[in-house]
Amino acid sequence: MVNPLDFYAIDDLRFVTGMPIHIAVSSQRDIVETIEMYYPKNDLEKALGAVPGLGEGVEIIKEVEEDEKEEQDLLKLTELPPVVRFVNSILADALRLKASDIHIEPHKDAVIIRYRIDGIMCEIMQTDKHVHASLVSRVKILSDIDISIRRKPQDGRSHIRYGNKGYDLRVSTIPTSYGEKVTIRILNPDTVQMTLNELGVLDKDLKKFINALSMPQGIILVTGPTGSGKSSTLYACLNRLNTPKVNIITVEDPVEFDIDGINQVQINPKAGITFAAGLRSILRQDPDIIMVGEIRDTETAGIAFQAAQTGQLVLSTLHTNDASSAVGRLQDMGVDSFLVSSSLVAVIGQRLVRKICKKCKVPDPLSAQMKDRLSPYIGKDKSATFWKGAGCEDCQYSGYSGRLGLFEILLITPSLKEIIVPNMPAVTLKKAAEKEGFQSLSEEGIKKALKGLTTIEEIFRVAPPEARDIFQEPVTEPGIPDEKETETAQLSRPSVSVSSVRSTKILVADDNEVTLKILCHLLKSENYLTIAAKNGVDALKLAYQEKPDLLVTDYMMPEMDGITLIKKLRSQLTTRYIPIIMLTAKKGIDSEIEGIDAGADDYLTKPVNPKRFLSRVSRLLNRPIIGET
């Protein structure tokens, strides 16, 4: 290159190739001549035998519509290696973290990429706004969506392979104030193979569940809000019922997974196939078992209950807050009370809670007041032990890994059938069911917390006990430390400067306390927010949690050195693009090369010159974000 100090070009080339860059200086003339030598342009005059002067004076003008030109430009952009690699890295990172959804959200000055991991939205990274068009267009091309349409919602699907598994992607786009928002739903093939035991149903309720499924006719409903795992439960039921002796037909929107031996019908309103129309047609196909993806309207509900009356077992979902509210919801839809009481076999209410990470599981010493609040559920056993996740690298320091279900199973027994009347309150049905052993979501959740499967905070977040059992004591939300934890955290790291007027956040990691204070003081003098870590392990944890705009790390540190820290950060998409400055007392070229090869963006030897240090910090903070290439 002509200018070896063009750090932006070097950084871009390092990103594009994913390789270490070695620089050689040459003149511009030599470089241009070499390019012309090894990448010659085609000599069209020789190839076509052009006659001089014959075509002079003629100019071909092709008018291209603005939208068509933009579409052609986008198509070229989507095939560029940086764009392809960036989209692939987002998909691979989401699959590795077991995310269920990817959200690409345009904002005024940036594009934010978020994952839904274990039901919780997590911001992964931000990138420049101009990357948005090529990023969205690449996703559209992968899912067979028209890239020229940007002003109305569109849906598409794609199939990818990661490792030895194939994954289906459901892609949805919608126009927003700052551009198209894209949501990618990742369908895990393991979901379709789940059994009732793997769902997390306790033994007592599992017997009730199996008994309900063994009924030759009737209707079984799975209730809960969106994202509570209702579809997974239905697929687990179908796996148990699927034998060559029965004819099973489903009506779904969309068909999420293909199951061998089951006839699955895709909803298509444009072709006239709605839930009601599809269900009506299915009844003429001699089914034994019918699965309806969702009861959405009066017509579908009426046909489903008629099918249950005529000898079929019907499985479906319904949006209600709990199992006992399902009867009232059906009555609101126009289903007669006598149909509900005679056809309804069971209602399964469910939620999903996060499981404690097994690798960092520790006892959770609840306060005496909290145990008093839980006494209606755990009795007077003051030695009851609850658990939590301390946070580790495997769980991204969240303390949770994976999810399990909470279930409340309401069997419609003969005594409950008698009390089902029009306009019956859900509370009346619930109290009558409790006398027969019905257990609410919160009760099962507390039992699973006692078993060490989840935390009590997670139960209070997803399925809190009823208001009569709560005494207005605030429950610590996941990710928000209590006073004791806050005090401990403040002792382990310096507080953020209150006078800071900039939102730029810098993490400094150094085991030398004097150096740490000096660097933090220099950064605070420039109104940067500063966070300090005394070793590599703490720095890795803070990088995940705080997502700083810049990291300054020492080369040699206890527990985890700077090289290992940088490699771990570069291996994760959420921290891959954080600029990093490596500090060391070593004054050899080998240590500098080692730091740069590991992924450091800059390198300084100690003692650090304040002006040089702040200049390097400013340069890295002001460089283009990922995607500038």
Side-chain angles (χ1 to χ4, degrees):
M1 62 194 306
V2 178
N3 179 14
L5 300 179
D6 188 352
F7 296 111
Y8 292 155
I10 297 170
D11 289 343
D12 290 344
L13 191 58
R14 184 184 294 116
F15 165 71
V16 172
T17 62
M19 302 287 288
I21 305 301
H22 301 282
I23 301 167
V25 181
S26 179
S27 67
Q28 182 173 352
R29 179 179 176 181
D30 289 342
I31 291 177
V32 172
E33 288 179 353
T34 306
I35 290 174
E36 291 177 352
M37 179 186 301
Y38 289 102
Y39 302 93
K41 296 180 180 179
N42 293 329
D43 194 343
L44 294 180
E45 288 191 0
K46 289 183 180 180
L48 299 179
V51 179
L54 184 62
E56 292 181 359
V58 178
E59 182 181 4
I60 305 298
I61 300 175
K62 181 183 177 182
E63 293 186 1
V64 180
E65 296 291 335
E66 188 66 26
D67 289 345
E68 184 180 347
K69 183 179 179 183
E70 289 183 11
E71 182 179 345
Q72 293 173 357
D73 291 342
L74 284 174
L75 281 172
K76 293 178 182 178
L77 279 174
T78 57
E79 299 302 326
L80 291 177
V83 177
V84 174
R85 190 179 295 112
F86 187 39
V87 172
N88 289 350
S89 66
I90 292 173
L91 294 174
D93 190 61
L95 292 170
R96 185 183 56 79
L97 295 176
K98 299 180 180 179
S100 61
D101 300 88
I102 302 172
H103 293 254
I104 301 173
E105 303 171 342
H107 291 262
K108 185 177 181 181
D109 300 316
V111 178
I112 296 178
I113 297 172
R114 299 196 293 169
Y115 299 162
R116 186 177 293 278
I117 302 173
D118 295 336
I120 304 297
M121 292 293 288
C122 305
E123 182 177 321
I124 299 301
M125 65 175 296
Q126 293 188 21
T127 182
D128 281 350
K129 182 63 182 292
H130 73 270
V131 179
H132 177 255
S134 56
L135 179 59
V136 171
S137 297
R138 178 64 185 172
V139 174
K140 283 184 171 183
I141 287 175
L142 293 177
S143 50
D144 293 328
I145 295 177
D146 191 342
I147 66 171
S148 65
I149 299 175
R150 297 187 292 274
R151 295 179 180 86
K152 68 178 183 179
Q154 295 187 88
D155 295 312
R157 60 187 298 175
S158 181
H159 186 81
I160 63 173
R161 182 168 294 279
Y162 180 69
N164 296 323
K165 280 187 183 180
Y167 295 84
D168 283 322
L169 306 180
R170 298 289 187 269
V171 180
S172 173
T173 67
I174 188 171
T176 67
S177 300
Y178 297 109
E180 285 183 288
K181 179 184 183 299
V182 178
T183 301
I184 305 172
R185 168 64 57 88
I186 302 173
L187 301 179
N188 192 331
D190 293 340
T191 302
V192 74
Q193 300 173 358
M194 290 184 69
T195 64
L196 294 178
N197 292 327
E198 293 171 336
L199 291 176
V201 185
L202 295 177
D203 293 340
K204 181 181 177 182
D205 288 335
L206 183 60
K207 292 179 181 178
K208 295 181 181 179
F209 208 152
I210 294 173
N211 289 337
L213 289 174
S214 64
M215 298 297 289
Q217 64 184 47
I219 186 165
I220 298 174
L221 296 176
V222 182
T223 70
T226 302
S228 59
K230 300 188 296 297
S231 297
S232 299
T233 300
L234 287 181
Y235 279 117
C237 294
L238 292 178
N239 285 333
R240 183 175 184 84
L241 296 170
N242 188 14
T243 67
K245 297 181 180 180
V246 293
N247 177 23
I248 303 177
I249 306 179
T250 72
V251 187
E252 305 174 60
D253 182 25
V255 175
E256 294 187 356
F257 301 101
D258 295 327
I259 307 177
D260 292 336
I262 293 180
N263 306 285
Q264 297 172 273
V265 178
Q266 169 72 52
I267 290 300
N268 187 358
K270 293 181 180 179
I273 305 177
T274 61
F275 275 118
L279 184 54
R280 191 180 290 109
S281 299
I282 282 174
L283 293 176
R284 296 191 288 270
Q285 294 289 321
D286 185 32
D288 296 299
I289 299 170
I290 299 172
M291 192 271 271
V292 184
E294 182 184 349
I295 294 180
R296 296 177 178 174
D297 51 44
T298 301
E299 187 179 6
T300 306
I303 299 171
F305 273 86
Q306 288 175 11
Q309 285 280 315
T310 56
Q312 285 84 28
L313 179 64
V314 181
L315 309 176
S316 188
T317 67
L318 193 67
H319 284 283
T320 61
N321 289 330
D322 54 24
S324 56
S325 301
V327 172
R329 175 70 178 139
L330 291 169
Q331 291 174 342
D332 291 340
M333 284 184 169
V335 182
D336 293 330
S337 298
F338 75 89
L339 275 178
V340 175
S341 61
S342 61
S343 302
L344 194 59
V345 174
V347 183
I348 295 95
Q350 74 176 77
R351 297 289 190 279
L352 291 176
V353 293
R354 292 179 291 173
K355 293 192 293 186
I356 298 173
C357 176
K358 294 180 180 179
K359 294 193 176 181
C360 59
K361 182 178 176 181
V362 295
D364 185 7
L366 299 180
S367 64
Q369 189 174 5
M370 175 61 78
K371 288 190 175 182
D372 288 339
R373 295 175 60 186
L374 297 173
S375 59
Y377 304 97
I378 64 175
K380 297 182 180 180
D381 183 12
K382 301 297 183 182
S383 63
T385 303
F386 290 90
W387 302 83
K388 66 178 181 179
C392 64
E393 186 179 345
D394 288 336
C395 64
Q396 301 277 298
Y397 296 95
S398 66
Y400 297 97
S401 179
R403 288 191 290 178
L404 77 157
L406 302 182
F407 298 89
E408 55 178 18
I409 300 179
L410 177 63
L411 291 179
I412 307 300
T413 61
S415 58
L416 294 182
K417 291 179 184 288
E418 294 177 358
I419 66 171
I420 295 178
V421 295
N423 301 320
M424 180 192 65
V427 176
T428 303
L429 182 63
K430 184 176 181 180
K431 288 182 177 180
E434 286 175 345
K435 294 178 182 179
E436 299 184 2
F438 173 75
Q439 181 176 270
S440 67
L441 288 170
S442 55
E443 289 175 309
E444 177 171 291
I446 292 170
K447 286 184 178 180
K448 289 183 174 177
L450 279 170
K451 289 177 178 288
L453 301 175
T454 186
T455 63
I456 198 65
E457 286 82 6
E458 188 71 357
I459 300 303
F460 273 81
R461 180 183 72 86
V462 175
E466 295 180 1
R468 56 187 171 87
D469 298 326
I470 299 178
F471 304 114
Q472 305 302 320
E473 180 187 358
V475 178
T476 304
E477 290 290 334
I480 302 178
D482 56 22
E483 293 181 3
K484 185 177 180 181
E485 291 175 339
T486 303
E487 183 179 353
T488 304
Q490 288 175 346
L491 289 175
S492 64
R493 69 183 187 192
S495 59
V496 177
S497 173
V498 179
S499 62
S500 297
V501 295
R502 297 177 58 175
S503 60
T504 303
K505 189 185 300 180
I506 298 177
L507 170 61
V508 183
D510 200 310
D511 59 326
N512 188 307
E513 191 170 347
V514 175
T515 304
L516 196 64
K517 288 183 178 180
I518 291 173
L519 294 177
C520 288
H521 177 73
L522 284 173
L523 294 171
K524 287 180 180 180
S525 68
E526 296 295 315
N527 292 326
Y528 293 117
L529 298 174
T530 59
I531 308 170
K534 294 182 179 180
N535 57 65
V537 174
D538 288 345
L540 183 64
K541 180 178 180 179
L542 290 171
Y544 282 130
Q545 294 176 338
E546 302 289 345
K547 294 185 176 59
D549 300 290
L550 176 71
L551 168 65
V552 180
T553 179
D554 191 15
Y555 184 95
M556 297 298 297
M557 292 184 293
E559 298 187 45
M560 182 186 294
D561 59 48
I563 297 296
T564 305
L565 171 64
I566 294 173
K567 289 180 178 178
K568 286 182 177 292
L569 292 175
R570 291 296 184 239
S571 68
Q572 305 285 337
L573 186 62
T574 185
T575 55
R576 182 176 300 169
Y577 302 111
I578 296 175
I580 299 176
I581 297 177
M582 169 75 81
L583 303 179
T584 182
K586 296 183 178 181
K587 296 184 179 180
I589 189 66
D590 292 339
S591 59
E592 179 177 351
I593 292 175
E594 186 182 6
I596 297 298
D597 287 346
D601 298 277
D602 209 339
Y603 187 93
L604 288 172
T605 55
K606 297 179 181 179
V608 176
N609 179 280
K611 289 186 178 180
R612 180 180 291 112
F613 173 68
L614 292 176
S615 175
R616 300 290 181 88
V617 168
S618 177
R619 181 184 72 85
L620 286 177
L621 289 173
N622 293 321
R623 75 174 185 176
I625 310 177
I626 170 66
E628 193 69 32
T629 54

